[in-house]
Amino acid sequence: EIVLTQSPGTLSLSPGERATLSCRASQSVSSSYLAWYQQKPGQAPRLLIYGASSRATGIPDRFSGSGSGTDFTLTISRLEPEDFALYYCQQYGSSPRTFGQGTKVEIK
Amino acid sequence: EVQLLESGGGLVQPGESLRLSCAASGFTFSSYAMSWVRQAPGKGLEWVSAISGSGGSTYYADSVKGRFTISRDNSKNTVYLQMNSLRAEDTAVYYCAKDLRPATAPFDYWGQGTLVTVPS
């Protein structure tokens, strides 16, 4: 099983600032099958990024993903008020499809 | 418009059973693998089980293997999760989720979730 470790646990930033979230895998993620999701309280997760760097339909271009192998990054270039939420990475290249424990982006 | 609507959650005693359903619409259901993902109160996401588009292949997390069974009825556009021998640690919101594409893919649509509560 591939274990995903996200850091930091909480990121305290102000609107307009840049957010950088990390996801490290315990072994290489095949073919960069790495996704990022956003979840707000009381809502289901929403797909942001897949294939490590492809934005899902309707996702603003302030969200970008990068990385390969075992190290991946989600960057939000300029935080909007609606971006303060929980973010999870997930690998879907091998079973079980594991998730990271999440990073909370909160308003400073 | 893609819609996934879960039902069947509720309060059950340890050792009892429950069957969750997820009714899908807005896409060619039989072409896509479907999964169940759960989230315990205040915790992160845990993938539980997946089933291929044809239903011929199924996959389970170790935590539920032997107790949960995933199935689908492509004539009804519905995926099921039969949960037996429920434990307190199975308490969670259960989401059904659709794969983005027929091959290896993340989840592009999720239902609103259904809460399963198993008291300790």
Side-chain angles (χ1 to χ4, degrees), chain A residues 97, chain B residues 33-37 47 49-51 70 95-97 99 107:
Chain A
R97 303 193 213 181
Chain B
M34 298 292 294
S35 287
W36 289 95
V37 177
W47 172 82
S49 183
I51 186 167
I70 192 171
Y95 297 99
C96 71
D99 275 12
F107 307 131

Side-chain angles (χ1 to χ4, degrees), chain B residues 52-111:
Chain B
S52 62
S54 67
S57 298
T58 56
Y59 310 86
Y60 298 95
D62 286 346
S63 58
V64 306
K65 201 171 294 182
R67 300 188 298 123
F68 290 12
T69 302
I70 192 171
S71 61
R72 65 191 295 160
D73 184 338
N74 286 345
S75 68
K76 296 183 178 179
N77 286 2
T78 301
V79 60
Y80 305 98
L81 186 68
Q82 177 67 43
M83 305 186 294
N84 298 333
S85 303
L86 282 161
R87 307 167 180 167
E89 54 265 35
D90 296 319
T91 294
V93 173
Y94 284 74
Y95 297 99
C96 71
K98 167 192 168 291
D99 275 12
L100 171 66
R101 52 182 177 236
T104 308
F107 307 131
D108 63 341
Y109 285 95
W110 300 62

Side-chain angles (χ1 to χ4, degrees), chain A:
Chain A
E1 172 177 326
I2 296 178
V3 176
L4 300 178
T5 302
Q6 292 186 239
S7 62
T10 302
L11 203 49
S12 298
L13 296 167
S14 300
E17 290 194 295
R18 181 185 187 89
T20 303
L21 287 67
S22 174
C23 177
R24 179 161 291 177
S26 60
Q27 54 189 280
S28 184
V29 175
S30 60
S31 303
S32 294
Y33 288 142
L34 193 287
W36 291 92
Y37 299 87
Q38 178 194 68
Q39 188 179 33
K40 297 180 180 179
Q43 296 184 15
R46 176 174 72 144
L47 178 65
L48 299 175
I49 300 287
Y50 64 96
S53 60
S54 297
R55 270 187 301 277
T57 302
I59 301 303
D61 60 8
R62 64 180 180 273
F63 291 92
S64 63
S66 63
S68 64
T70 60
D71 289 296
F72 299 88
T73 300
L74 173 70
T75 301
I76 310 171
S77 58
R78 289 178 58 85
L79 283 164
E80 297 287 341
E82 62 268 28
D83 299 337
F84 292 91
L86 264 168
Y87 292 84
Y88 294 95
C89 59
Q90 180 211 20
Q91 67 80 22
Y92 53 93
S94 64
S95 187
R97 303 193 213 181
T98 46
F99 291 90
Q101 82 281 14
T103 289
K104 181 180 181 181
V105 178
E106 66 176 21
I107 299 177
K108 187 174 181 179

